[in-house]
């Protein structure tokens, strides 16, 4: 741990953070970047900052995510000001820069670091939120969409090309099965078979979009409820975070990913598959928070939402399984076989969503 202490001391100096470095905590959620809170001894009570090491394997061009995040947060800040928001500091992220204007600092150990404001008196939920929090998650992502409805998408970089191109994800998955780099395919026969049998569902959203009835909007693309900060005492949504994958996309994926994650009756890597299912009430809660905030949603786009839940769940199952087959190079894992456990969990969830899809469509 000594080495991280000195890295944080270096970062505090580089970004000229207020006060001297006191200590840090690890924020365990997040499968890609490493996130910490860093405390300094400024004035009484001290200061806390959010410090992140950007995963350079996943985001090989960190300048592009910085450019996107700056553009988006600036835009949201302006929208909040226009709406007369009194507490802007807690409603949108702010990134710090070094004296030479850089938002990324390359530490002496080679890491790519950024510093973000820590939203005071806030909390987040890593799985199974209450119905009220689920509805507020819907409101948060609905407002996010609303704020960005007039954002110029042509200024955004595609930080991960084809991020929610499910058909491409399916092809990468079957490619991983064929290559079987680590000789693991034999241990995932049933899962591979199921995903291959669901091939058609991977193109649901693309097919709907090709009819012209689904808009390409600026979307978040990673709408887990732990990517929303809530007021710790009221549970009201404050800010949407984790903006690295904000890109042009379809709301079916944002809607679907939020329901996939927080509507699961178990956590994303639950081993006891009998605990995994879709809570239809949570689906309803999210929809009631999200849909009324969107503008200009046509019938086809509305229909795409429940399908998005199934497609994005299958997509993530295929990503976890492909990563397992490729030797766990993308998602952080906590133990051997973690990605296979995650894939099995998403598959169990997808099977339940398949059963509930008619009811989900009726509800919307
Ligand atoms: C990753 O970084 P995090 O945990 O918010 C991933 C998402 C997955 C998610 C699954 C850039 O998100 O696409 O849905 O894990 N982000 C990236 O938990 O690949
Ligand atoms: Mg995240």
């Amino acid at each position: 741990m000594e080495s991280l202490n000195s890295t944080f001391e270096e970062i505090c100096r580089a970004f000229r953070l207020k006060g001297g470095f006191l200590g840090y905590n690890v924020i365990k959620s997040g499968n890609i970047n490493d996130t910490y809170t860093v405390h300094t001894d400024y004035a009484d009570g001290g200061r806390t900052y959010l410090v992140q090491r950007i995963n350079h394997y996943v985001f090989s061009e960190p300048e592009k995510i910085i450019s996107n995040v700056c553009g988006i947060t600036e835009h949201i800040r302006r929208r909040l000001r226009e709406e007369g928001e009194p507490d802007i500091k807690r409603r949108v992220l702010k990134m710090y820069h070094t004296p030479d204007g850089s938002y990324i600092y390359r530490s002496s150990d080679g890491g790519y670091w950024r510093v973000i404001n820590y939203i005071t008196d806030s909390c987040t939920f890593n799985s199974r939120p209450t119905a009220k929090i689920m509805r507020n998650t819907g409101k948060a992502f609905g407002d996010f969409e609303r704020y960005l409805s007039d954002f110029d998408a042509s200024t955004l970089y595609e930080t991960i090309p084809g991020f929610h191109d499910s058909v491409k994800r399916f092809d990468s998955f079957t490619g991983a099965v064929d290559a079987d780099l680590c000789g693991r395919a034999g241990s995932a026969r049933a899962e591979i078979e199921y995903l291959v049998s669901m091939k058609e569902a991977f193109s649901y959203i693309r097919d709907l979009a090709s009819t012209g009835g689904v808009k390409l909007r600026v979307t978040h693309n990673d709408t887990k409820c732990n990517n929303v900060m809530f007021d710790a005492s009221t549970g009201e949504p404050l800010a949407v975070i984790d903006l690295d994958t904000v890109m042009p996309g379809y709301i079916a994926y944002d809607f679907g990913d939020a329901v996939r994650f927080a509507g699961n009756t178990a956590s994303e890597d639950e081993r006891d598959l009998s605990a995994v299912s879709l809570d239809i009430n949570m689906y309803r809660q999210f929809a009631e928070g999200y849909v009324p905030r969107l503008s200009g949603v046509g019938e086809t786009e509305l229909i795409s939402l429940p399908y998005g839940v199934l497609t994005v769940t299958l997509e993530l199952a295929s990503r976890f399984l492909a990563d397992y087959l490729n030797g766990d190079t993308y998602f952080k894992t906590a133990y051997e076989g973690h990605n296979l456990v995650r894939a099995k969990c998403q598959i169990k969830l997808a099977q339940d969503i398949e059963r509930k899809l008619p009811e989900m469509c009726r509800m919307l």
Side-chain angles (χ1 to χ4, degrees), residues 162-173 194-195 198-199 201-203 205-206 221-222 250 252-254 256-257 260 307-323 331 342-343 346-347 350 353:
F163 191 59
H164 280 311
D165 180 342
S166 307
V167 174
K168 190 174 134 195
R169 294 289 192 182
F170 180 85
D171 293 341
S172 306
F173 157 69
Y194 172 74
L195 289 178
M198 294 301 287
K199 181 175 183 188
F202 281 77
S203 63
I205 306 303
R206 175 190 278 199
N221 296 308
D222 187 8
Y250 300 121
Y253 283 95
D254 275 6
D257 201 34
R260 168 199 75 72
Y307 285 94
V309 184
L310 179 58
T311 301
V312 82
T313 305
L314 291 167
E315 181 191 281
L316 189 61
S318 77
R319 291 174 63 197
F320 283 146
L321 196 47
D323 200 30
F331 295 104
R342 288 168 171 152
Q346 295 305 301
I347 286 173
I353 294 167

Side-chain angles (χ1 to χ4, degrees), residues 29-32 52 220 222 224 226-227 241-242:
S29 68
N31 294 325
I32 307 292
Q52 246 181 351
H220 184 277
D222 187 8
K224 302 195 286 191
N226 61 13
N227 284 333
I241 61 167
D242 203 346

Side-chain angles (χ1 to χ4, degrees), residues 29-329:
S29 68
N31 294 325
I32 307 292
N33 296 320
D34 297 327
T35 309
Y36 307 86
T37 48
V38 165
H39 315 288
T40 67
D41 61 0
Y42 186 72
D44 31 299
R47 289 283 159 101
T48 299
Y49 300 88
L50 208 86
V51 177
Q52 246 181 351
R53 178 169 34 214
I54 298 169
N55 182 324
H56 195 251
Y57 175 80
V58 170
F59 297 107
S60 54
E61 296 175 293
E63 319 73 44
K64 292 191 173 173
I65 61 175
I66 296 291
S67 161
N68 282 3
V69 175
C70 284
I72 293 154
T73 51
E74 213 26 72
H75 186 87
I76 295 176
R77 195 167 291 113
R78 189 163 47 73
R79 292 289 304 261
L80 288 167
R81 234 181 265 127
E82 282 164 11
E83 287 187 359
E85 166 63 46
D87 200 8
I88 290 187
K89 274 194 180 153
R90 295 173 76 221
R91 297 295 316 280
V92 62
L93 294 182
K94 182 188 141 207
M95 281 193 302
Y96 288 79
H97 57 76
T98 59
D100 64 359
S102 172
Y103 290 89
I104 298 174
Y105 174 70
R106 205 64 209 279
S107 60
S108 48
D109 65 0
Y112 292 80
W113 296 89
R114 67 176 159 196
V115 178
I116 305 172
N117 65 319
Y118 175 77
I119 299 178
T120 52
D121 303 317
S122 67
C123 64
T124 188
F125 297 86
N126 283 317
S127 61
R128 297 245 59 200
T130 62
K132 176 183 158 189
I133 292 297
M134 188 62 165
R135 178 181 284 256
N136 285 347
T137 306
K139 288 183 186 174
F141 284 116
D143 278 336
F144 183 80
E145 198 53 50
R146 191 166 60 79
Y147 294 142
L148 294 179
S149 58
D150 59 346
F151 185 83
D152 179 5
S154 71
T155 63
L156 288 177
Y157 290 106
E158 199 178 359
T159 51
I160 301 181
F163 191 59
H164 280 311
D165 180 342
S166 307
V167 174
K168 190 174 134 195
R169 294 289 192 182
F170 180 85
D171 293 341
S172 306
F173 157 69
T174 54
V177 174
D178 292 342
D180 195 14
L181 287 180
C182 305
R184 288 174 161 180
S187 57
R189 278 285 153 237
E191 290 74 27
I192 293 169
E193 221 168 84
Y194 172 74
L195 289 178
V196 169
S197 79
M198 294 301 287
K199 181 175 183 188
E200 253 174 52
F202 281 77
S203 63
Y204 279 164
I205 306 303
R206 175 190 278 199
D207 294 347
L208 278 174
S210 70
T211 66
V214 177
K215 284 192 196 141
L216 196 60
R217 302 174 185 248
V218 176
T219 50
H220 184 277
N221 296 308
D222 187 8
T223 49
K224 302 195 286 191
C225 59
N226 61 13
N227 284 333
V228 178
M229 301 308 296
F230 299 87
D231 184 287
S233 45
T234 65
E236 286 304 303
L238 292 170
V240 166
I241 61 167
D242 203 346
L243 307 175
D244 300 333
T245 52
V246 175
M247 288 178 275
Y250 300 121
I251 51 171
Y253 283 95
D254 275 6
F255 181 88
D257 201 34
V259 172
R260 168 199 75 72
F261 184 77
N264 185 349
T265 51
S267 64
E268 196 177 62
D269 54 1
E270 175 61 59
R271 290 165 185 267
D272 173 10
L273 295 180
S274 69
V276 177
S277 65
L278 179 79
D279 182 336
I280 198 91
N281 178 47
M282 295 296 259
Y283 167 81
R284 176 198 289 273
Q285 294 296 334
F286 185 83
E288 287 181 358
Y290 184 71
V291 177
R293 286 173 151 71
L294 302 171
S295 56
V297 183
E299 199 176 325
T300 312
E301 205 170 22
L302 204 57
I303 290 171
S304 75
L305 301 181
Y307 285 94
V309 184
L310 179 58
T311 301
V312 82
T313 305
L314 291 167
E315 181 191 281
L316 189 61
S318 77
R319 291 174 63 197
F320 283 146
L321 196 47
D323 200 30
Y324 170 70
L325 298 173
N326 291 335
D328 308 313
T329 57

